[in-house]
């Protein structure tokens, strides 16, 4: 693998973001992007200590100016590197509430993380991914994390669903525009509770082993998506624990 | 039919909005809401001259304050009336452009008309519709206009799709929350060109008769949705010309 | 309305079939088709006594020869008449069982009612519907009854779903082929328990009023589908009680 | 990996079946099942010469008795072995024709390969897969090949779609029933032309390189599905060439 390729993970906290960063760091230097340094600090150390290369960058994906500054820093950090993979794993803030108790701000918070954030991230990364097409062993890849709320608007989850549906719409549109140019764009519907410190006390599916999504397992499928041949791209897949009802 | 019921159509310009207003005005007094008076002026006159009752209200659905003012005016205009039907037919502004030529503003314009606008409209109308449940002959109804872009993110239509997917997500969530409370919430996927003055010169589907959607035909299906018994609500249907490829 | 048009309802027992026959009989002479005369006998009488015209025909839709005989009889009964509407409402026989307890016969029983039956019915009715295009006030219509199992394969409902998915596939294909020739083909996803004598004792959705689908309400939507202008055909809609979870 | 595990590929001709057999043969002894020996003969030799173990079995998946005989032979061939993976890749015979030129036989041929065939295959393999759950490193897996016609009924493709929709329905139902018991059931929507000798002369997507699906690339994703942790099963994914319009 060329040493001149790197990857970016936006939304690199605990959970999926951390596991995907660790997985891609086995092959590429990785940029971990999050709003606050405490989100990526430990993972950056973990990768570095394991002999990989990782750089943390603080940015607010929903803010164009913040993203401009972040990508200037990234380009300085990786001069001459091409972008092999960009992963958008930002959580959208949302409230689970009866509709009439919601405020417009609740909707806008969800849209901001899901739609504006992905829009800005894609504006910055797609040109870099296109630029890597001739050199990357694997097709340069934009991977976007979705959820059940990406395909189903449930009662009380309206603002979350609005954001996640919009995120999926953007991802599909990008796939249809950029697949023919050699950039792979895929969306994963994560259906279930992810097994992270914050959810450790949740009892799901009777609490049996593997009843929550293991972030490392998610990362394995993200890596598989990245390495797919351009003759057989997946645009969308679902991921859920074996005991999850669907 | 009780004389104390009324209907509101947001996005009441030419086309679907006008036709729906005319259709519902056969039974209810109708409020026509649009950003600019010239959008609803002629239809208000048309309804009035035909012996119906129509009131135009200027408002920007994406602006909470503007909606507050508009609904204060509506309540003054119809004291003691209950809301039988609210139709959300606002077009989202959007640009058809390669993704890398789009600006964040283009996305926000689409979201604003599709997501924030519907959110504000539903915040104002759902309480009025709930209030009408015991008295309305037909289940009080919130009808939302969608499009092909509500279910498909095409290349260059990313910002439109983001808004329309979000609009559909909100509509689904509202249906799941408010159907059990007696308010019917339905989404129509309009797939094709609507036959309005602006599209008269478009040649679609070989230009054969009825190859564009007749707004009056759309309005007939909206009226049918409104009159469905609560024992058999439709949440979503599609509408397209017989010659439209799908 | 021309006196030279008629309608056919296959699967004309109690419930949807009976209600649809009664609804269409307000406008057209109606053929009620079922395997056994006791299924349609009472409805034929009911229509006749109300001053309408109804004819019962016994046939097994899954058997080509039986359908041949039935349509010969129908043509003799209605010489010179054109077919305005054909409704396919046949239940597929099915077993709700763990997969490993099912027999191949269980699958074939479901396919036979859902796929072969619709195939034979469409082979017989589409030519008659095409022939009616120039004369019918409303677009000649083929309406097909679906269910939740048409779009979702649940555990233990595999054979039912196999048949209902196949039925929906055929219906979609027919719509895409015959809409441009003026024949309207629509599929209704009936999601919930239908309120018929057999289900009267079921307690659904807490047993509140209208928690089951009223067959007359289903028939109203079927009639609406039939009368849609060809400028705005619906290909698919869902129908469910207001309190049904979905 | 235990030497006591094996895999079965039904529909093991050229193309996907052959490539999947070769891929799984790197890890497991493989049974290749096809109606005629000439379909699997060369691939069996190829695997054997490469030092793997492969056995060809002739069977008609749509015929219960033939499947009984085949599985008796398989159990004799692999005494004490557990089934790690079963792949259903049988093509359904079908005709692309205007609906009114089709015969009932055309429909039944499609259903037979897609629905009855999968039903029989699952009846035979699910008990073996369940039996392997405690011992297999990877979750025992049933993989089913689908196509665009699994989710879209196109004009003239009605009989194909009927079969493929039914196949998808069965697969979904099996996933919902057997995931909680530890057997992974996944469906792949292959969208595009597969690059096999028979299609070599087809010019697709302008004839650019990789414009057809490479069977080895499909096999890579099948292997990935097989190796997914039970904490993150994929039930469905799509696979298409980067230049394929969708």
């Amino acid at each position: 693998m060329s040493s001149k390729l790197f990857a970016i993970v936006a939304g690199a906290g605990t959970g999926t973001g951390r596991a995907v960063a660790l997985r891609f760091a086995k092959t590429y230097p990785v940029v971990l992007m999050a709003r606050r340094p405490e989100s990526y600090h430990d993972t950056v150390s973990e990768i570095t200590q394991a002999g990989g290369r990782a750089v943390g960058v603080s940015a607010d994906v929903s803010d164009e100016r913040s993203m401009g500054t972040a990508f200037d820093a990234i380009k300085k950090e990786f001069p001459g590197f091409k972008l092999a993979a960009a992963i958008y794993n930002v959580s959208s803030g949302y409230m689970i509430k009866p509709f009439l108790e919601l405020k417009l701000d609740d909707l806008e918070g969800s849209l901001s993380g899901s739609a504006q954030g992905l829009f800005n991230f894609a504006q910055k990364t797609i040109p870099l991914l296109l630029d890597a097409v001739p050199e990357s062993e694997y097709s340069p890849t934009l991977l976007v994390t979705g959820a059940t709320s990406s395909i189903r608007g449930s009662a009380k989850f309206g603002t979350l669903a609005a954001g996640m549906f919009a995120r999926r719409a953007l991802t599909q549109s990008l796939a249809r525009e950029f697949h023919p140019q050699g950039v792979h764009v895929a969306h994963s519907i994560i259906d279930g509770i992810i097994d992270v410190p914050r959810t450790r006390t949740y009892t799901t599916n009777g609490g049996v082993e593997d009843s929550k999504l293991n972030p490392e397992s998610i990362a394995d499928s993200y890596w598989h998506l990245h390495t797919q041949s351009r003759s057989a791209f997946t645009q969308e897949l679902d991921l859920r624990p074996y005991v999850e009802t669907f």
Side-chain angles (χ1 to χ4, degrees), chain A:
Chain A
M1 183 74 44
S2 162
S3 63
K4 300 302 249 173
L5 294 168
F6 76 115
I8 303 178
V9 181
T14 58
T16 306
R18 175 182 167 275
V20 170
L22 288 167
R23 182 68 189 79
F24 281 67
K26 291 185 186 175
T27 304
Y28 306 119
V30 173
V31 174
L32 290 91
M33 187 178 280
R35 213 178 308 206
R36 293 163 308 127
E38 53 270 39
S39 295
Y40 56 70
H41 182 270
D42 289 357
T43 310
V44 168
S45 302
E46 199 176 345
I47 292 171
T48 309
Q49 281 162 27
R53 182 169 174 202
V55 177
V57 172
S58 299
D60 176 355
V61 289
S62 66
D63 177 341
E64 274 185 294
R65 183 191 301 256
S66 168
M67 288 294 271
T69 309
F71 275 82
D72 287 347
I74 290 168
K75 283 172 200 171
K76 252 180 230 161
E77 185 71 31
F78 292 102
F81 280 65
K82 306 283 185 181
L83 186 62
I87 293 96
Y88 191 78
N89 183 56
V90 174
S91 303
S92 68
Y94 66 92
M95 305 301 292
I96 305 174
K97 273 190 185 172
F99 178 71
L100 295 175
E101 295 176 20
L102 289 166
K103 302 290 170 205
L104 186 58
D105 275 356
D106 297 322
L107 174 67
E108 292 180 341
S110 171
L111 293 172
S112 155
S114 281
Q116 279 97 326
L118 174 57
F119 182 92
N120 289 333
F121 186 71
Q123 285 282 337
K124 289 295 183 189
T125 56
I126 292 268
L128 304 180
L129 294 164
L130 286 169
D131 190 41
V133 171
E135 306 189 27
S136 179
E137 176 184 353
Y138 304 121
S139 297
T141 311
L142 173 62
L143 298 175
V144 178
T145 300
T148 311
S149 56
S150 305
I151 50 170
R152 183 184 155 82
S154 303
K156 301 188 188 169
F157 289 78
T159 57
L160 174 61
M164 295 304 276
F165 272 55
R167 184 191 289 215
R168 183 168 177 254
L170 276 178
T171 306
Q172 257 187 32
S173 303
L174 293 169
R176 291 195 161 101
E177 183 169 351
F178 294 105
H179 276 191
Q181 301 180 46
V183 172
H184 185 187
V185 182
H187 184 253
S188 298
I189 295 173
I190 313 291
D191 179 17
I193 303 292
I194 300 179
D195 191 11
V196 288
R198 191 174 52 80
T199 64
R200 206 122 298 164
T201 58
Y202 295 14
T203 302
T204 324
N205 299 316
V208 300
E209 207 189 330
D210 291 329
S211 58
K212 295 173 194 158
L213 289 130
N214 189 318
E216 283 73 37
S217 302
I218 299 175
D220 283 343
S221 284
Y222 277 42
W223 181 255
H224 173 68
L225 288 169
H226 174 51
T227 63
Q228 284 183 320
S229 148
R230 68 179 179 175
S231 93
F233 279 167
T234 290
Q235 206 283 307
E236 189 163 82
L237 53 72
D238 50 353
L239 289 168
R240 71 174 60 74
Y242 74 117
V243 286
E244 185 78 20
T245 302
F246 71 104

